[in-house]
Structure formats: structure tokens, C-alpha cells
Amino acid sequence: MENFDLSIAIQASLGAKIYNFENQYYQGNVLGAMRRSLVEGQWWSEQEPGDGKMPAAALSQLEFQANSSIYIENASFLAVRNVNFGYTFSEHLANKLKMKKFRLYTSINNLFMITDKNFHGYNPEGYTAGEIDGINSTPGYNSGSEPVNRIFTLGLNVNF
């Protein structure tokens, strides 16, 4: 077992809040953008009061929708950023192959992220505004997000 190695990098953030403007958009102020999970809780009528929190979408809101604390969400998370598992072959085998060291490894970046069950974004820490420069310059404000890429790597370290 001494030839195996394992490393795990974990990152967390607790207590952060984010204003989810993207959520406001998908709530239905633009009718073509309604997101079912957000619309189901809206007030529709006295017979269908929703969850009592989410305001109703209306055609009158197409040009304007007021800011509200309903869009502030818990941005706490726990993420496994990297898992690296490797095996270093014996010195005897490495020498036969005219090497000093020979290691095979696999790595997974962004294996998973746990967020609050009521968080409605892809990534509570890094948001883009859909602009060419990428990162949104307003911390704590989500105006459009993208999922975090999961990357699988298979590698070989060789020392001659």
C-alpha cells in the first residue's frame, strides 16, 4: 500500500448571501423564461395562493420588477475541488524501463458541490454577467451563472 497516494482538496464557505437576479428573471417577469420550480410557489389567486412568499408574475411586470429580499439566497457551500489518486511503480520496474521514477495517476477536479436546498443557481461563488470579460465585478450579485466544469484527468509522471 505504500506505493499508493491520495490527496483530496475541499473548500467551503459558510454564511454568505447572494442576491439572485437570475432567479428574479426566471420567476417569470419575462414570460418566455419561466422556470417551473420557481413559478409553482407564486400567488395566482385566492384558490391558488402558492407558498405565501413568491410574488406573482404579471404582464405588467415585463418592463419593471421591483427588487425584493425574496431573491437573497444562502450561498454557503461545501465543494470537493480535487481528488488525486496515484500509484508509483517500484524502483526496480522503473530502472528496467530506464527511468528513475514512474507514477500513474487519475485526478478529478470539481467532483461535487453541496449547496443549500433553496439555492437556485449553478455556482454560489463565481458568477458571470454573460459579458466577454467573464467574472461579474459585483460580489454577492448573480446576474447569470454557469455550471462549474468537472474535469477528469489520467496522467503519467516520469523521471529520467
Side-chain angles (χ1 to χ4, degrees):
M1 294 297 284
E2 67 185 49
N3 291 8
F4 288 98
D5 61 89
L6 173 68
S7 66
I8 301 172
I10 298 173
Q11 179 186 16
S13 174
L14 300 173
K17 302 288 183 199
I18 193 160
Y19 185 87
N20 198 345
F21 181 74
E22 183 178 26
N23 211 22
Q24 187 178 20
Y25 173 81
Y26 285 126
Q27 178 195 330
N29 63 332
V30 179
L31 295 177
M34 285 188 169
R35 189 162 137 191
R36 182 178 180 180
S37 64
L38 301 173
V39 174
E40 285 177 340
Q42 291 181 347
W43 184 94
W44 293 100
S45 68
E46 289 183 20
Q47 294 77 26
E48 294 181 77
D51 62 11
K53 298 176 188 173
M54 192 63 67
L59 288 173
S60 63
Q61 294 179 341
L62 287 174
E63 293 299 318
F64 173 79
Q65 187 172 13
N67 292 330
S68 166
S69 62
I70 190 86
Y71 302 110
I72 296 176
E73 296 183 342
N74 181 357
S76 298
F77 69 90
L78 173 74
V80 174
R81 293 296 183 196
N82 181 272
V83 176
N84 191 311
F85 179 70
Y87 180 79
T88 303
F89 290 88
S90 70
E91 223 177 281
H92 176 72
L93 178 62
N95 289 335
K96 276 187 166 183
L97 298 172
K98 304 209 187 289
M99 299 175 202
K100 290 183 182 175
K101 192 173 183 182
F102 181 61
R103 178 179 175 262
L104 182 65
Y105 70 93
T106 186
S107 178
I108 305 171
N109 289 339
N110 301 313
L111 182 59
F112 66 86
M113 179 183 285
I114 299 170
T115 60
D116 185 274
K117 67 179 180 176
N118 294 316
F119 178 73
H120 293 97
Y122 289 114
N123 179 0
E125 65 173 341
Y127 288 97
T128 61
E131 298 167 2
I132 228 156
D133 61 352
I135 301 299
N136 185 354
S137 61
T138 309
Y141 181 80
N142 170 20
S143 60
S145 62
E146 298 164 2
V148 177
N149 293 325
R150 184 171 300 128
I151 301 168
F152 296 87
T153 305
L154 181 61
L156 186 64
N157 292 33
V158 177
N159 293 352
F160 292 100

